[in-house]
């Protein structure tokens, strides 16, 4: 009886034998480095599919070519692995978007061992041509680099071609432009009740916008917020740094929460809810209304994210230690020092300048 096989992979003395057609020509190859077992069969199927893909798309295989999956296949595997992890909705969406928008058009159909540094440089140039900041370009390259790291882990390639191009991206960190207490005193009265609470939590507690939107009454206990989640692109997931933290709630915010509790919606445990009694899925509306209030108050317009920066700067100016501030704000210590270096050194700089002036 003829051997039936739907995978195209056969047992050849304990090794995997693959068979496929190139047009009407039947091809076969013994993969002497791949044992005939469950894992080996899966790997052999990938190799077989890449030979078929190379023939159908006219890709010319290099001399000494080692079969490998395309970047698209490896990217899908990476995304599937990422999606299977708990609370990974936000990162999955973000990385998928970066891969689809910048990587797939350049290297999607290439085998992972055909991707060179020049391809990565093309992706960098594409990002820069769209006016993306250095940090965003670095994140785009990091998304593809993670896929290629998986290819290294599975022994399809030995080096990651992203390393050097990513190092050469000049990262220019934008200076923060925090709001002042005087500005907040002018703009906050122009906001509605829900917006006032949203920005008060950001101004006095330093939470990110998605973290405020995700807060529930269960997260508020004994004068502290338990910050464990965030809303991004309409989905609830982990915080930006994937770390939970406890944040002390300023007395002014506690007072606002006690008043807000009187209109608590029984259908939703979220602290901030829409007019329909549902939790917010986006924070753009808060930002838009804040910008309108800035114009009414004749205050120089800049990103509402600077409200959080204002909280951090006020903490430092009040004498709080940077290590504590970074913990409350959910930063790594290194990121906090990089972002707020000018405020950390401000008082010390004045002291040093006085010493300098007193020198003979």
């Amino acid at each position: 009886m003829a051997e039936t096989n739907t995978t195209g992979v056969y047992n050849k003395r304990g090794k995997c034998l693959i068979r496929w057609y190139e047009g009407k020509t039947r091809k076969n190859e013994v993969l002497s480095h791949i044992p005939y077992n469950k894992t080996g069969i899966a790997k052999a199927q990938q190799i077989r599919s890449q030979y078929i893909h190379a023939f159908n798309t006219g890709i010319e295989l290099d001399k000494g070519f080692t079969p490998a999956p395309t970047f698209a296949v490896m990217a899908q595997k990476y995304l599937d692995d990422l999606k299977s992890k708990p609370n990974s909705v936000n990162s999955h969406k973000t990385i998928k978007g970066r891969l689809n928008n910048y990587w797939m058009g350049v290297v999607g159909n290439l085998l992972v061992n055909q991707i060179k540094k020049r391809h990565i440089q093309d992706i960098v140039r594409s990002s820069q041509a769209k006016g993306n900041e250095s940090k965003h370009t670095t994140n785009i390259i990091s998304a593809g680099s993670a896929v290629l790291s998986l290819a290294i882990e599975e022994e399809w390639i030995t080096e990651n071609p992203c390393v050097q191009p990513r190092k050469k991206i000049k990262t220019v960190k934008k200076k923060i432009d925090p709001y002042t207490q005087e500005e907040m005193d002018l703009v906050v009265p122009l906001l509605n009740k829900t917006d006032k609470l949203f920005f008060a939590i950001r101004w006095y507690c330093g939470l990110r916008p998605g973290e405020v939107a995700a807060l529930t009454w269960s997260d508020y206990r004994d004068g502290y917020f338990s910050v464990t989640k965030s809303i991004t692109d309409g989905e609830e997931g982990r915080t930006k740094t994937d770390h939970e933290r406890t944040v002390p709630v300023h007395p002014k915010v506690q007072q606002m929460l006690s008043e807000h509790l009187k209109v608590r919606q029984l259908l939703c445990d979220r602290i901030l809810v829409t007019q329909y009694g549902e939790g917010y899925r986006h924070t753009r509306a808060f930002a838009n209304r804040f910008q309108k209030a800035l114009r009414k108050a004749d205050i120089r317009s800049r990103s509402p994210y600077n409200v959080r920066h204002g909280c951090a700067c006020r903490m430092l100016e009040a004498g709080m230690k940077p290590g504590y501030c970074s913990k409350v704000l959910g930063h790594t210590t290194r990121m906090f020092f990089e972002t707020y270096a000018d405020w950390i050194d401000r008082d010390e700089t004045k002291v040093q300048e006085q010493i300098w002036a007193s020198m003979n």
Side-chain angles (χ1 to χ4, degrees):
M1 182 180 292
E3 182 180 9
T4 59
N5 189 304
T6 57
T7 66
V9 182
Y10 302 84
N11 186 358
K12 183 72 171 181
R13 297 176 184 176
K15 303 297 181 182
C16 288
L17 166 67
I18 57 173
R19 290 175 180 161
W20 73 100
Y21 278 91
E22 293 184 358
K24 295 183 179 181
T25 305
R26 185 179 182 182
K27 297 281 188 175
N28 64 80
E29 181 177 334
V30 177
L31 304 175
S32 58
H33 60 296
I34 300 180
Y36 190 81
N37 53 34
K38 185 177 180 179
T39 303
I41 291 171
K43 198 166 187 176
Q45 282 181 293
Q46 285 187 323
I47 293 173
R48 177 178 178 271
S49 68
Q50 299 321 308
Y51 273 123
I52 295 171
H53 174 80
F55 175 76
N56 291 337
T57 57
I59 294 176
E60 186 176 345
L61 303 180
D62 298 332
K63 189 176 181 180
F65 161 77
T66 301
T70 61
F71 180 86
V73 169
M74 188 59 65
Q76 188 59 58
K77 184 172 183 179
Y78 174 78
L79 289 171
D80 290 343
D81 290 345
L82 182 62
K83 197 172 185 178
S84 66
K85 296 178 181 178
N87 301 310
S88 64
V89 174
N90 295 343
S91 55
H92 178 272
K93 272 193 169 184
T94 301
I95 293 174
K96 183 179 180 180
R98 290 168 182 166
L99 293 175
N100 284 334
N101 294 333
Y102 293 94
W103 283 81
M104 300 309 295
V106 179
V107 298
N109 289 328
L110 292 181
L111 309 182
V112 290
N113 57 358
Q114 292 180 313
I115 298 174
K116 310 297 182 185
K117 291 176 186 176
R118 58 184 172 84
H119 297 120
I120 314 303
Q121 290 164 349
D122 288 342
I123 295 170
V124 170
R125 283 192 286 269
S126 173
S127 174
Q128 293 171 338
K130 291 183 178 181
N132 291 328
E133 296 178 3
S134 300
K135 182 179 179 180
H136 188 45
T137 299
T138 300
N139 289 337
I140 289 168
I141 300 305
S142 294
S145 179
V147 175
L148 295 172
S149 292
L150 178 61
I152 292 175
E153 185 180 323
E154 296 193 355
E155 299 182 352
W156 293 113
I157 57 177
T158 58
E159 294 182 358
N160 192 328
C162 293
V163 175
Q164 288 187 0
R166 183 168 54 184
K167 286 182 178 179
K168 290 182 179 180
I169 299 172
K170 293 182 178 179
T171 303
V172 180
K173 194 167 185 66
K174 290 180 69 175
K175 284 196 172 185
I176 61 173
D177 193 0
Y179 288 98
T180 65
Q181 184 67 62
E182 292 75 15
E183 289 174 322
M184 294 299 291
D185 288 341
L186 289 172
V187 73
V188 168
L190 301 175
L191 301 174
N192 64 43
K193 190 174 258 186
T194 302
D195 290 353
K196 285 178 182 177
L197 180 57
F198 177 84
F199 283 102
I201 294 173
R202 302 200 62 203
W203 178 248
Y204 290 108
C205 305
L207 269 64
R208 299 180 178 93
E211 294 171 345
V212 181
L215 282 176
T216 64
W217 289 106
S218 305
D219 297 324
Y220 175 49
R221 189 172 300 174
D222 300 326
Y224 289 88
F225 282 137
S226 178
V227 183
T228 62
K229 51 194 176 295
S230 181
I231 301 293
T232 305
D233 295 329
E235 300 288 346
E236 182 179 300
R238 301 279 290 177
T239 62
K240 181 179 179 181
T241 55
D242 204 31
H243 289 112
E244 300 179 2
R245 67 188 192 276
T246 301
V247 178
V249 180
H250 192 279
K252 290 188 177 180
V253 176
Q254 291 187 37
Q255 178 61 34
M256 295 178 72
L257 287 170
S258 66
E259 297 172 1
H260 195 68
L261 185 59
K262 297 174 185 176
V263 293
R264 177 179 177 182
Q265 296 286 337
L266 297 178
L267 299 177
C268 181
D269 192 39
R270 292 268 182 84
I271 291 177
L272 296 178
V273 294
T274 67
Q275 58 182 322
Y276 306 107
E278 302 171 342
Y280 284 90
R281 299 182 67 244
H282 300 278
T283 59
R284 289 190 295 270
F286 292 104
N288 292 338
R289 290 192 290 267
F290 188 82
Q291 292 289 359
K292 288 181 180 179
L294 287 176
R295 289 193 288 271
K296 285 183 180 179
D298 196 25
I299 295 173
R300 181 169 56 87
S301 178
R302 59 253 202 219
S303 170
Y305 205 86
N306 282 294
V307 173
R308 170 175 153 90
H309 291 320
C311 175
C313 294
R314 286 164 56 247
M315 291 170 73
L316 291 169
E317 289 171 345
M320 295 185 187
K321 294 184 178 180
Y324 175 78
C325 296
S326 65
K327 183 178 179 181
V328 169
L329 292 167
H331 277 298
T332 62
T333 303
R334 176 183 175 184
M335 179 59 70
F336 186 84
F337 272 88
E338 288 179 355
T339 305
Y340 303 106
D342 289 345
W343 270 261
I344 293 171
D345 294 336
R346 179 170 290 186
D347 291 339
E348 184 61 30
T349 299
K350 290 179 181 178
V351 172
Q352 299 305 315
E353 287 175 349
Q354 289 173 359
I355 295 173
W356 183 286
S358 67
M359 291 171 61
N360 292 324

